[in-house]
């Protein structure tokens, strides 16, 4: 059988000089999850290949000739995903299958555009699914949804896979090796799945579950070595950084320590960053291990800077604890990147300036800012359906998409623009280029250009937002 995997992007790849400087203009890193599924399938079906619109155009003549086309995507890429799925169904005889976070959590909608939706993570259901298609049978196991005679059939959610010691074969992704020379595309390794917390807006805990599942430390380090080698083969990369993309790497403390010790004993000399909650900032032993292992930055999901918003969205945090944690992390020689949300029910006009002041006061050296986001299947989405402005999914990428309680959508978008402009001002860029170390000089320059690009897009959307 000929099997193709396709990752759509809300901005399909185009060649431009900006791809070397601006992370999400036309280039992102291909999905580790979809690449992992392609790797599983390749072992049994040799004619397997993957395209990602993050880094290349799709060779349509190759995909249209496939027996099965698998596609996976997040909410912001759903519109493009449905467009491609419709095109594949109309122009090929392939069985078109959607999966990933958005189709899996919103399968009622997704089944309108494809033959089947693969629910959940897919590691242990994708091969039985292919076998069923090969034998022209309907799936009779949990993990699949489809429409038949106008009705939705759902075989139920599959059990989450426990053996996740799989190293994704990056060579299966079209042009991945070629594009690895771009500084805006980072090596990534996903070492664990799941998070024990239950924040209302988080789609990942609904998709991966609250039970944390881990790869063996040896397998993680093997993947790290392979990823580093893949990115440096035939390329000179000025910035040598690898992102461990776990949603909550420190949820299993003893396992996290074992991974860090394995990195240290391996002798790998590289820079790493990882996502985290603030609690790790009080764990001096873990912070010392992180520093010894080569970590330079922690990407902290702070989200809000007021305790009322934490309570509203069931996130167990306080501003006082977060600030104390950041101070201690910096004391150990690690920098902090903050991930923030604007537009909670508790925020008012001026929240953009308050966020910028918080970032600058706490010496946070990088930020990702999004207006309140809503993924189908999360409590935040279900509780706010009537306040959403639309379901144009490609706008669900940081833009304002709902009516906040204490300001207009237009005003919230302006707060986002204001926060970005204050944090990434020309004055702060000059200061960073003079005062920061080599790594953070480069990172701040890249972030300065990235946020400039984001602000341009946010400003274009202003005309469409209610005042």
């Amino acid at each position: 059988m000929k099997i193709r995997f396709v990752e759509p992007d809300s901005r399909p790849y185009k060649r431009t000089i900006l791809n070397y400087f601006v992370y999400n203009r036309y280039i992102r890193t291909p999905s580790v999850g979809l690449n992992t599924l392609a790797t599983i399938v390749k072992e049994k079906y040799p004619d397997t290949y993957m395209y990602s619109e993050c880094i290349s155009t799709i060779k349509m003549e190759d995909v249209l000739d496939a027996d099965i086309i698998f596609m996976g995507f997040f909410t912001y890429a759903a519109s493009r995903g449905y467009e491609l799925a419709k095109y594949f169904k109309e122009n090929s005889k392939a069985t078109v299958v959607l999966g990933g976070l958005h189709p899996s959590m919103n399968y009622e909608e997704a089944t309108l555009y494809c033959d089947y939706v693969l629910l959940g993570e897919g590691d242990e259901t994708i091969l039985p699914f292919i076998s069923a298609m090969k034998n022209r049978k309907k799936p009779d196991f949990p993990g699949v949804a489809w429409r038949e005679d106008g009705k939705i059939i759902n075989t139920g959610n599959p059990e989450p896979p426990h053996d996740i010691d799989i190293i994704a074969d990056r060579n299966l992704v079209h042009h991945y090796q070629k594009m690895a020379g771009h500084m805006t595309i980072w090596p990534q390794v996903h070492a664990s799945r799941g998070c024990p917390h239950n924040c209302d807006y988080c789609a990942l805990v609904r998709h991966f579950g609250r039970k944390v599942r881990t790869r063996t430390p040896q397998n993680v380090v093997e993947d790290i070595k392979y990823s580093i080698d893949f990115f440096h083969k035939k390329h000179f990369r000025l910035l040598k950084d690898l992102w461990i993309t776990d949603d909550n790497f420190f949820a299993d403390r003893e396992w996290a320590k074992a991974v860090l010790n394995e990195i240290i004993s391996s002798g790998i000399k590289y820079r790493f960053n990882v996502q985290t909650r603030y609690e790790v900032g009080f764990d001096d032993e873990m912070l010392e291990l992180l520093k010894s292992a080569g970590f330079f930055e922690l990407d902290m999901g702070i989200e809000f800077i007021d305790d009322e918003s934490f309570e509203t969205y069931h996130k167990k945090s306080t501003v006082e604890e977060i600030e104390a944690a950041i101070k201690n992390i910096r004391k150990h020689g690690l920098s902090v990147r903050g991930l923030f949300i604007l537009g909670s029910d508790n925020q008012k006009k001026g929240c953009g300036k308050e966020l910028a002041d918080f970032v600058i006061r706490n010496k946070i050296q990088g930020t990702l800012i999004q207006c309140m986001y809503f993924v189908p299947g999360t409590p935040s989405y279900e509780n706010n359906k009537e306040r959403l402005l639309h379901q144009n999914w490609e706008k669900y990428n940081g833009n304002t998409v709902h009516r906040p309680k204490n300001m207009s959508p237009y005003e919230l978008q302006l707060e986002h623009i204001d926060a970005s402009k204050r944090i990434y001002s020309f004055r702060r860029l000059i200061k960073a280029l003079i005062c920061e170390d080599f790594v953070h000089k480069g990172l701040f320059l890249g972030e300065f250009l990235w946020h400039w690009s984001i602000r341009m897009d946010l400003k274009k959307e202003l005309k469409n937002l209610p005042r």
Side-chain angles (χ1 to χ4, degrees):
M1 295 189 75
K2 180 178 180 178
I3 299 171
R4 293 294 179 263
F5 288 78
V6 175
E7 180 187 16
D9 196 347
S10 57
R11 263 197 182 103
Y13 175 78
K14 294 181 182 178
R15 294 184 65 181
T16 167
I17 193 66
L18 284 176
N19 291 339
Y20 288 92
F21 306 104
V22 183
Y23 170 71
N24 68 345
R25 176 52 53 178
Y26 293 108
I27 189 167
R28 287 189 173 113
T29 301
S31 165
V32 175
L34 199 63
N35 192 185
T36 298
L37 293 181
T39 302
I40 293 170
V41 172
K42 174 74 173 180
E43 290 186 5
K44 190 172 179 66
Y45 299 95
D47 194 357
T48 297
Y49 199 55
M50 175 176 163
Y51 295 91
S52 172
E53 286 195 310
C54 303
I55 59 170
S56 73
T57 54
I58 301 168
K59 287 189 174 181
M60 288 298 181
E61 66 278 11
D62 180 42
V63 176
L64 292 175
D65 191 41
D67 296 300
I68 304 177
I69 302 170
F70 289 101
M71 299 174 61
F73 46 84
F74 291 99
T75 295
Y76 68 82
S79 297
R80 174 60 175 168
Y82 293 151
E83 175 188 351
L84 284 175
K86 182 180 178 182
Y87 178 82
F88 293 148
K89 281 182 64 65
E90 291 176 350
N91 293 277
S92 78
K93 296 180 180 178
T95 299
V96 178
V97 186
L98 301 184
L101 192 145
H102 185 88
S104 182
M105 295 182 64
N106 198 21
Y107 65 86
E108 294 94 340
E109 174 188 86
T111 52
L112 294 169
Y113 300 90
C114 63
D115 297 302
Y116 295 95
V117 173
L118 207 59
L119 306 173
E121 297 170 52
D123 300 47
E124 296 175 355
T125 54
I126 193 164
L127 291 179
F129 176 84
I130 295 172
S131 178
M133 296 301 101
K134 186 177 181 180
N135 294 306
R136 301 182 183 277
K137 294 181 179 179
K138 295 291 184 182
D140 59 357
F141 49 86
V144 189
W146 68 93
R147 286 181 181 263
E148 193 170 304
D149 298 327
K151 296 181 180 180
I152 296 178
I153 297 175
N154 183 338
T155 62
N157 292 323
E159 286 292 319
H162 291 280
D163 180 8
I164 56 175
D165 273 8
I166 301 167
I167 297 176
D169 182 357
R170 279 78 167 173
N171 289 296
L172 285 177
V173 185
H174 186 63
H175 277 184
Y176 199 175
Q177 181 74 75
K178 175 184 176 181
M179 300 300 287
H182 288 65
M183 295 302 168
T184 52
I185 181 171
W186 285 23
Q188 295 183 359
V189 169
H190 204 79
S192 66
R193 303 182 194 177
C195 177
H197 298 282
N198 201 28
C199 306
D200 284 0
Y201 46 80
C202 182
L204 294 172
V205 73
R206 273 84 199 172
H207 187 67
F208 291 113
R210 297 180 66 184
K211 183 177 180 181
V212 178
R213 290 160 288 132
T214 59
R215 296 167 64 181
T216 63
Q218 297 77 14
N219 183 256
V220 174
V221 170
E222 186 182 348
D223 199 352
I224 289 171
K225 289 179 178 178
Y226 165 54
S227 187
I228 292 171
D229 180 67
F230 181 86
F231 268 74
H232 286 273
K233 189 179 296 181
K234 302 179 182 178
H235 299 295
F236 171 75
R237 289 182 60 85
L238 190 63
L239 295 177
K240 298 176 174 62
D241 306 317
L242 184 144
W243 182 23
I244 295 181
T245 58
D246 299 35
D247 309 309
N248 192 344
F249 180 79
F250 303 99
D252 184 333
R253 185 177 184 273
E254 293 306 312
W255 170 82
K257 286 171 55 181
V259 172
L260 295 177
N261 279 313
E262 189 71 23
I263 293 173
I264 293 168
S265 64
S266 73
I268 296 172
K269 301 300 180 184
Y270 212 71
R271 285 188 296 268
F272 302 96
N273 63 311
V274 64
Q275 295 185 160
T276 179
R277 280 176 55 91
Y278 76 91
E279 289 93 342
V280 74
F282 300 118
D283 191 335
D284 290 332
E285 180 185 7
M286 190 74 76
L287 294 175
E288 287 300 320
L289 281 173
L290 284 163
K291 188 66 178 175
S292 298
F295 285 74
F296 76 100
E297 179 179 272
L298 303 185
D299 303 334
M300 188 181 294
I302 299 172
E303 273 86 64
F304 309 111
I305 56 170
D306 62 284
D307 291 347
E308 293 79 8
S309 292
F310 289 136
E311 293 177 9
T312 298
Y313 298 97
H314 301 104
K315 183 176 176 68
K316 295 179 180 179
S317 303
T318 68
V319 175
E320 182 180 358
E321 289 177 324
I322 288 170
E323 291 191 304
I326 293 172
K327 185 176 180 180
N328 196 44
I329 290 168
R330 289 181 52 78
K331 181 180 175 182
H332 283 79
L334 298 162
S335 62
V336 173
R337 173 182 299 274
L339 315 179
F340 296 99
I341 299 172
L342 287 174
S344 80
D345 286 347
N346 307 91
Q347 293 174 334
K348 299 177 182 178
K349 286 178 64 176
C351 61
K353 181 181 183 302
E354 291 173 359
L355 173 56
D357 290 344
F358 178 91
V359 169
I360 295 169
R361 181 176 70 250
N362 287 286
K363 298 181 174 61
I364 294 173
Q365 289 177 291
T367 61
L368 169 63
I369 307 169
Q370 293 184 305
C371 290
M372 195 70 202
Y373 51 93
F374 305 90
V375 178
T378 62
S380 286
Y381 178 86
E382 298 302 326
N383 295 336
N384 291 280
K385 284 181 179 179
E386 74 285 352
R387 296 165 58 191
L388 296 177
L389 300 175
H390 53 71
Q391 286 191 341
N392 182 359
W393 300 124
E394 67 180 354
K395 302 295 185 183
Y396 282 56
N397 61 352
N399 278 291
T400 300
V401 297
H402 82 300
R403 296 180 183 274
K405 280 192 174 181
N406 298 312
M407 56 189 127
S408 70
Y410 183 89
E411 289 169 335
L412 174 56
Q413 192 88 334
L414 287 177
E415 295 295 335
H416 187 170
I417 294 168
D418 184 54
S420 172
K421 191 174 182 179
R422 289 174 184 272
I423 296 168
Y424 292 96
S425 67
F426 186 73
R427 179 181 177 182
R428 295 196 76 232
L429 172 63
I430 297 301
K431 182 179 178 181
L433 293 177
I434 294 173
C435 301
E436 293 290 354
D437 58 55
F438 172 75
V439 173
H440 287 99
K441 288 182 198 295
L443 287 176
F444 198 95
L445 176 59
E447 297 236 339
F448 179 87
L449 295 169
W450 177 40
H451 274 261
W452 168 81
S453 171
I454 290 171
R455 289 198 300 274
M456 295 304 101
D457 290 338
L458 293 172
K459 289 176 182 178
K460 290 176 184 177
E461 186 62 19
L462 281 170
K463 64 180 182 295
N464 300 320
L465 295 173
R467 292 173 179 256

